[in-house]
Amino acid sequence: MSPLDLLVAAPLAFMIAALLSGPWGRWWLLAAIPVMAGLTVWLLLLPEGSGHVVGGWTLPLGVQLRADGVAQLMVAATAVCAAIVGLYALHEFAPGADRSETAHGFAFWPLFYLLWGGANAGFLTTDLFNLYIALEMVSLAAVAMAAMGSLRAALRYFVIALVGSLAYLLGVALLFSNYATVDLTLLAEMARPDLATKTALAVMTAGLLIKAAVFPLHGWLPPAHAAAPAPASALLSAIVVKVGFVILLRLWFEAFPAIIAPAGLELLGWLGALAVLYGSVQAIRQDTLKALVAYSTVAQIGYLLLAFPLVATAAGTGGAWAGMTIHATAHMLAKAAMFLAAGLMLKAVNGHHLKDLHGLARAMPLTVAAFGLAAVSLMGLPPSAGFLAKFLLLEAAVEQGAVFAAAVLLVGGLLAAVYLFKPLAWAFAGSDTPVVVAKAPLRTAAPLALALLAVSLGFAGQAMVDITAGSPWAGPPATEAEDVQ
Amino acid sequence: MAIVEHLYPLTGAVLVGLGLYGFLTLRHPLRQLLAVNVVGAGIFLILGGLGRGADSTDPFPQALVITGIVVAVALTAFGAALILRVAEDERAPDGTAADDTNGNHP
């Protein structure tokens, strides 16, 4: 047995259990959290680069799951996010009096576990076809969660995500015809810079850019993420977009670093820069809170792409690599916290607009504090994990003389401050204390815990840099992963 | 005959092209869903044709295709259900489409 396949199998087992137990399905969470926490700790304790071939089928036929630095960090962050969001959702998705509430209560929990299992599979697998399955699992859960908020936004998301998946699948087919394997570690050894490989890489990248909502393919994200119920938005923004990003990393830096043209990296860097600027400006222009937070996701995803040329130029796992992966982790925690806090605030005032938050800081100090702490990490203020990530990226950019990237990093931070101060300014405005109806006040702890984690992880910076260093493409060429069955 | 040798991938490529054209030109979501399915069929044909050897057949791409078809069927069913729900919502007599909290009407 290995924690690697259990990390995928356990959530799927909980999915079936939740599906079968109907109205009591939500209580499986209390079993899922300790199980997943144990498996995650086990994963973190595995030696670097441990692999596990599912079902004992050896490569190139088998499907390999592998615990490298990125996978460990992302799986752990996913577990933390999912556990806390799940606890928050226990109240939100309880079967209620109203018919649609009850339907949501039934539907959310199986989707929640499907999302969790799919994300873990996406982070751990090195098999491109299995990654396609993981992408589809995550997309299916994500679209269904988005449909809980707005059917139209979900339909738009569904259609565009389907095209992204098929583009990715076409690339997998091309690669298989060329190399007769779809395993990343084997592809890395055989990669040839021929037309088929480049075409495959191009269509797969396009598909993944859709999944990760990278500018200009981000159009589906703000309506879908803004309309969904708060716990669903938190999972969508924190976890779903990261799956596409991690697969992109695997392709560009693990399988085909040798044949990637600098122009391709530059292009991704530019897209990232435009995403940071466009997403931030759009976020500033929003007057509903959740749309603002959703556009902030578009902007924050931009940093991940902005880092691509920096990572490729930097030697080894130095600053840029660690900065990029830590940014992904920090964004996961901070954005989940922010959506949960936003959900609580909007529920309390029964509105959607920024002006509805008037004076809320006095009525809900802890929730507004959670929002503020998450904002600290998103803006990149010390000592948060977001600061550490942006600092590492900025250092790499300055070292490499990438003036433009450095400028975007700084301007992006300023713009983030502008759009995140807007809701905070409303919350602290006025002098009267609004009367709010807080349901299940214990839920305040969820966004607060996530936000505190996002901020305090900055102190564990060295540990995170060490974890991310355990990635096969960071150092010398990939070696055969050792089996730990 | 080069054409006969590459019959499967070529037909697959034509289907991908057709489906993509359909996806880009058709506006109704149901038609778009069908167009995407045509693209999927093309990709499966490309993949399935790969395992064909002169005397033996490689089962690996076939296994990928079967898995892919399962995924495609599940997603198509889900998409059709979603489209149906949206259509029911639009036909609702009060026309309020109560699901849209942000007033996003694309």
Side-chain angles (χ1 to χ4, degrees), chain A residues 60-61 127 129 132-133 136 139-140 143-144 147-152 154-156 158-160 162-163 165-167 169-170 172-174 176-177 180-182 222-223 226-228 288 290-291 352, chain B residues 16 20 23 29 32-33 36-37 39-40 43-44 46-47 50-51 58 60-61 63-65 67-68 71-72 74-76 78-80 82-83 85-86 89-90 97-102 104-106:
Chain A
L61 274 187
D127 181 286
F129 189 79
Y132 164 71
I133 306 291
E136 291 295 46
S139 300
L140 189 64
V143 171
M148 290 180 176
S150 158
L151 283 173
R152 272 178 202 80
L155 185 58
R156 188 169 161 198
F158 172 76
V159 172
I160 191 90
L162 207 53
V163 173
S165 308
L166 284 176
L169 186 63
L170 182 62
V172 175
L174 286 173
F176 181 81
S177 70
T181 181
V182 286
T288 56
K290 286 188 79 181
H352 297 292
Chain B
V16 170
L20 211 56
F23 178 77
Q32 284 189 323
L33 185 66
V36 168
N37 264 291
V39 177
I43 296 172
F44 295 145
I46 296 175
L47 255 179
L50 289 173
D58 181 4
F60 188 53
L64 297 189
V65 170
T67 319
V71 173
L75 282 176
T76 306
F78 176 65
L82 197 58
I83 292 167
R85 280 292 304 278
V86 172
D89 245 43
E90 277 169 358
D99 74 296
D100 227 329
T101 45
N102 278 1
N104 291 310
H105 291 281

Side-chain angles (χ1 to χ4, degrees), chain A residues 92-444:
Chain A
E92 181 119 355
F93 290 118
D98 165 8
R99 193 175 135 264
S100 79
E101 249 177 62
T102 308
H104 283 180
F106 274 51
F108 177 78
W109 295 102
L111 295 172
F112 171 80
Y113 294 115
L114 180 65
L115 183 71
W116 198 343
N120 278 351
F123 298 143
L124 291 168
T125 319
T126 63
D127 181 286
L128 289 177
F129 189 79
N130 205 45
L131 285 175
Y132 164 71
I133 306 291
L135 263 181
E136 291 295 46
M137 282 161 72
V138 171
S139 300
L140 189 64
V143 171
M145 281 191 184
M148 290 180 176
S150 158
L151 283 173
R152 272 178 202 80
L155 185 58
R156 188 169 161 198
Y157 180 12
F158 172 76
V159 172
I160 191 90
L162 207 53
V163 173
S165 308
L166 284 176
Y168 178 83
L169 186 63
L170 182 62
V172 175
L174 286 173
L175 286 180
F176 181 81
S177 70
N178 213 9
Y179 298 102
T181 181
V182 286
D183 190 82
L184 281 172
T185 52
L186 298 179
L187 283 173
E189 291 160 20
M190 298 191 285
R192 296 181 299 265
D194 52 13
L195 183 67
T197 311
K198 287 189 172 163
T199 315
L201 193 60
V203 289
M204 290 168 99
T205 303
L208 292 169
L209 290 182
I210 292 179
K211 296 281 184 179
V214 174
F215 181 88
L217 304 170
H218 65 280
W220 57 267
L221 185 145
H225 286 201
S233 304
L235 294 172
L236 293 176
S237 257
I239 298 169
V240 174
V241 286
K242 304 300 187 304
V243 177
F245 162 71
V246 167
I247 300 175
L248 208 55
L249 273 192
R250 303 265 184 236
L251 280 179
W252 283 64
F253 294 119
E254 182 167 5
F256 302 112
I259 65 164
I260 297 278
L265 288 160
E266 286 297 319
L267 177 68
L268 285 193
W270 273 99
L271 289 181
L274 287 172
V276 171
L277 301 175
Y278 175 85
S280 304
V281 170
Q282 282 296 326
I284 293 172
R285 295 183 52 215
Q286 300 305 310
D287 59 351
T288 56
L289 181 58
K290 286 188 79 181
L292 184 152
V293 182
Y295 269 109
S296 152
T297 298
V298 175
Q300 298 288 326
I301 293 295
Y303 290 112
L304 299 173
L305 270 283
L306 183 66
F308 267 51
L310 302 178
V311 171
T313 319
T317 50
W321 173 254
M324 177 169 66
T325 37
I326 293 174
H327 184 270
T329 314
H331 177 252
M332 241 190 204
L333 298 170
K335 192 49 66 74
M338 193 167 264
F339 263 121
L340 294 186
L344 280 179
M345 292 196 275
L346 294 178
K347 267 244 161 73
V349 300
N350 198 16
H352 297 292
H353 294 273
L354 291 181
K355 60 179 188 301
D356 296 332
L357 302 178
H358 192 85
L360 204 60
R362 272 174 301 281
M364 308 177 80
L366 287 176
T367 307
V368 174
F371 191 94
L373 284 173
V376 163
S377 183
L378 287 180
M379 285 183 247
L381 297 182
S384 65
F387 163 75
L388 178 70
K390 289 202 181 109
F391 178 76
L392 287 168
L393 287 176
L394 191 61
E395 197 181 44
V398 170
E399 251 172 37
Q400 297 173 18
V403 185
F404 180 70
V408 170
L409 278 164
L410 292 173
V411 173
L414 284 178
L415 290 174
V418 174
Y419 65 72
L420 291 170
F421 272 129
K422 266 177 64 182
L424 287 172
W426 276 108
F428 284 100
S431 56
D432 51 328
T433 306
V435 185
V436 298
V437 240
K439 280 191 210 156
L442 267 181
R443 285 191 298 171
T444 309

